[in-house]
Amino acid sequence: MFPWIHLSLQPDGEVLPCCTSYSLNLNLSNKNLQEIWNSEEIKTLRFNMLNDIKSPTCEYCYTSEKIGQESPRQRINEKYKHHLNIVKTTSDDGKVDKLNIVYWDFRYSNICNFKCRMCGPMNSTSWYKDFNSLMDVNYNDGKVTKNNILKELNPLFDIVEEIYFAGGEPIIMDEHYYILDKLIQLKKTDIPIVYSTNLSILRYKDKNILDIWKNFENISLGISLDGSGKRGELIRNGLKWDVFLQNLNSVRKNLPKARCVIGVTYQALNSFNIMETQKKLFESGLLNSVDDFIVYFLEDPNFLSVHILDKETKKVLSDKINEHINEFLIPSESITSITDYKNIIKYINLEDKSYLIPQFIKYCNSLDFIRNENTRKTFPELENLWSYESS
């Protein structure tokens, strides 16, 4: 359903069919939303979908479904099946006349106060200095902006059904507050508002986001967290574990009806530790359900993926995951997490990219030097990977 209800705007102006798809080389720098909506690339995608032809841009969903994981495609098809009528208006070449963007995912800038290990300058302004040091370049694009995007969005407020805020970090984006203020003004406070946020701050300038969220009936927070304590702080540089716990507790206290879900980017670094993070948050009462903990697989950069782990490490990891299932998830009456972790084991063994371990080590060592961190010491469970250092 996505190519009939949605376009995903990235911080650099690139437009994708959805946030998990691969690039189609579409950008707002030379086209507006209406032109992209019926670009040759999007029309071809619609045509392929209607004719059961796989498109390379949709590989993420194909992989998810291959291992039995529910894919974005499946979730969106179910949620937005009431828009099947517009699918029927599709021309033979894939054209759809109506600009039917009812699901918004517009990432207005790359401004962010974190510099996560798996990220980069395109999605975080905090990455600029380290990227320049790593690559010996002078990357300094400043805050990415789209001058006309808010103007293009104004006519779409009448039809919007759900808004997804991501970034960068949306809580520190001015455009994000413009959208919320406009929705309050138009009395459209019943539509679902969904976030991907690091939850590092709850106040921005003169605004208290908790007070603003109280105006809305349906707030869902997808809270990005890739580990607890020192491990989480290294992966997501900028994270302060104690502050994070305080902020999550404040949200739970002030917005008891808001859904809070932890979103983990599963990768080599946190492969052994997300189980402990899930257990800590649930047992401390910060998660309503043990299943409010969702894992997304990191594929890029590929040298940080769990696929780089050697065969022996994968075996130890699989045993640890099975232990987590049997000793924690089953007694906690999990429904979805058990399946998710079983799929993690499948995913781990889907590919062997252990030849990338030297690249993983070089990258970690380089960032450790720049940031005065120590990956090897922080993640002793991955000690055997460093035996590949001279490979």
Side-chain angles (χ1 to χ4, degrees):
M1 287 305 304
F2 255 158
W4 286 268
I5 64 165
H6 171 67
L7 288 173
S8 177
L9 173 63
Q10 300 304 295
D12 62 348
E14 183 177 22
V15 181
L16 302 170
C18 84
C19 66
T20 62
S21 60
Y22 296 146
S23 177
L24 291 178
N25 296 315
L26 297 169
N27 200 290
L28 282 181
S29 61
N30 52 24
K31 287 183 173 68
N32 60 34
L33 283 178
Q34 181 67 61
E35 290 169 334
I36 290 175
W37 180 251
N38 278 315
S39 62
E40 290 303 316
E41 293 83 355
I42 297 296
K43 289 194 297 182
T44 298
L45 181 60
R46 293 189 190 116
F47 175 87
N48 287 349
M49 288 185 171
L50 290 175
N51 290 277
D52 203 24
I53 301 171
K54 286 189 174 182
S55 297
T57 189
C58 299
E59 188 61 36
Y60 183 90
C61 282
Y62 302 147
T63 301
S64 296
E65 293 171 19
K66 182 178 180 180
I67 64 171
Q69 185 104 337
E70 184 184 38
S71 68
R73 181 188 76 86
Q74 291 169 324
R75 290 195 298 271
I76 293 301
N77 281 355
E78 176 61 28
K79 189 169 186 177
Y80 286 95
K81 59 188 178 183
H82 58 284
H83 281 277
L84 278 171
N85 283 338
I86 197 165
V87 176
K88 296 175 182 178
T89 71
T90 309
S91 302
D92 291 341
D93 65 349
K95 182 180 179 182
V96 173
D97 289 329
K98 182 182 178 181
L99 185 63
N100 191 53
I101 304 178
V102 300
Y103 177 89
W104 293 7
D105 176 8
F106 299 109
R107 307 181 187 199
Y108 306 96
S109 80
N110 63 339
I111 189 167
C112 187
N113 55 344
F114 278 21
K115 43 182 180 179
C116 303
R117 285 268 168 146
M118 57 287 184
C119 193
M122 190 188 84
N123 288 302
S124 172
T125 49
S126 294
W127 246 100
Y128 287 177
K129 183 179 178 181
D130 289 356
F131 184 78
N132 291 340
S133 297
L134 278 175
M135 306 302 294
D136 193 24
V137 296
N138 185 25
Y139 188 99
N140 189 26
D141 276 3
K143 180 187 172 193
V144 177
T145 57
K146 274 69 64 183
N147 294 329
N148 296 320
I149 184 60
L150 293 179
K151 185 182 295 185
E152 287 193 72
L153 286 183
N154 279 331
L156 299 177
F157 274 98
D158 289 339
I159 64 170
V160 63
E161 295 179 18
E162 181 173 347
I163 298 178
Y164 175 57
F165 287 117
E169 172 49 48
I171 305 301
I172 56 175
M173 292 182 190
D174 292 322
E175 298 88 346
H176 152 257
Y177 291 96
Y178 170 85
I179 299 294
L180 294 183
D181 289 344
K182 186 82 170 178
L183 291 171
I184 293 171
Q185 176 189 340
L186 295 172
K187 298 182 178 178
K188 290 186 68 92
T189 54
D190 58 334
I191 69 169
I193 307 293
V194 183
Y195 283 82
S196 176
T197 174
N198 58 39
L199 206 66
S200 59
I201 62 172
L202 299 177
R203 291 181 178 273
Y204 173 69
K205 297 182 178 179
D206 61 342
K207 301 179 186 298
N208 182 326
I209 191 61
L210 294 178
D211 290 340
I212 297 174
W213 283 340
K214 288 175 182 177
N215 291 283
F216 293 88
E217 299 174 19
N218 192 340
I219 294 286
S220 296
L221 302 182
I223 304 166
S224 301
L225 183 71
D226 297 316
S228 54
K230 296 299 181 183
R231 289 183 175 91
E233 290 175 348
L234 185 142
I235 296 175
R236 300 182 61 81
N237 186 291
L239 169 70
K240 304 298 180 187
W241 178 242
D242 290 342
V243 173
F244 172 83
L245 293 177
Q246 291 170 12
N247 288 347
L248 181 53
N249 187 59
S250 293
V251 172
R252 293 294 311 276
K253 180 179 178 181
N254 288 278
L255 296 166
K257 293 183 179 179
R259 189 181 180 210
C260 297
V261 176
I262 301 298
V264 173
T265 303
Y266 192 65
Q267 56 194 287
L269 283 173
N270 64 8
S271 55
F272 279 84
N273 304 113
I274 65 165
M275 294 79 80
E276 177 188 358
T277 302
Q278 182 181 25
K279 186 176 181 181
K280 282 182 177 179
L281 292 175
F282 179 65
E283 291 183 342
S284 65
L286 290 173
L287 293 180
N288 280 334
S289 165
V290 70
D291 291 328
D292 288 339
F293 194 91
I294 300 176
V295 175
Y296 305 96
F297 300 120
L298 175 72
E299 295 191 352
D300 183 38
N302 60 359
F303 56 83
L304 292 180
S305 162
V306 289
H307 290 148
I308 72 160
L309 301 178
D310 58 86
K311 187 175 181 180
E312 179 184 348
T313 303
K314 287 180 178 179
K315 174 64 170 62
V316 175
L317 177 56
S318 297
D319 290 344
K320 186 175 178 65
I321 292 173
N322 279 320
E323 179 182 316
H324 180 67
I325 292 172
N326 294 324
E327 296 186 7
F328 174 67
L329 293 179
I330 292 176
S332 300
E333 300 181 348
S334 164
I335 299 174
T336 58
S337 280
I338 293 173
T339 300
D340 289 346
Y341 277 98
K342 288 180 178 178
N343 287 333
I344 287 175
I345 295 174
K346 293 179 186 177
Y347 182 79
I348 290 169
N349 295 291
L350 201 58
E351 295 184 66
D352 178 7
K353 294 184 178 179
S354 54
Y355 62 90
L356 292 173
I357 292 177
Q359 191 174 350
F360 165 83
I361 295 170
K362 181 180 179 181
Y363 180 76
C364 290
N365 288 344
S366 297
L367 275 185
D368 284 350
F369 178 78
I370 292 169
R371 298 179 177 180
N372 193 28
E373 296 173 338
N374 192 325
T375 304
R376 188 173 183 175
K377 182 178 179 180
T378 306
F379 297 89
E381 60 276 10
L382 299 177
E383 173 63 29
N384 67 311
L385 295 186
W386 264 262
S387 64
Y388 292 77
E389 189 164 9
S390 59
S391 301

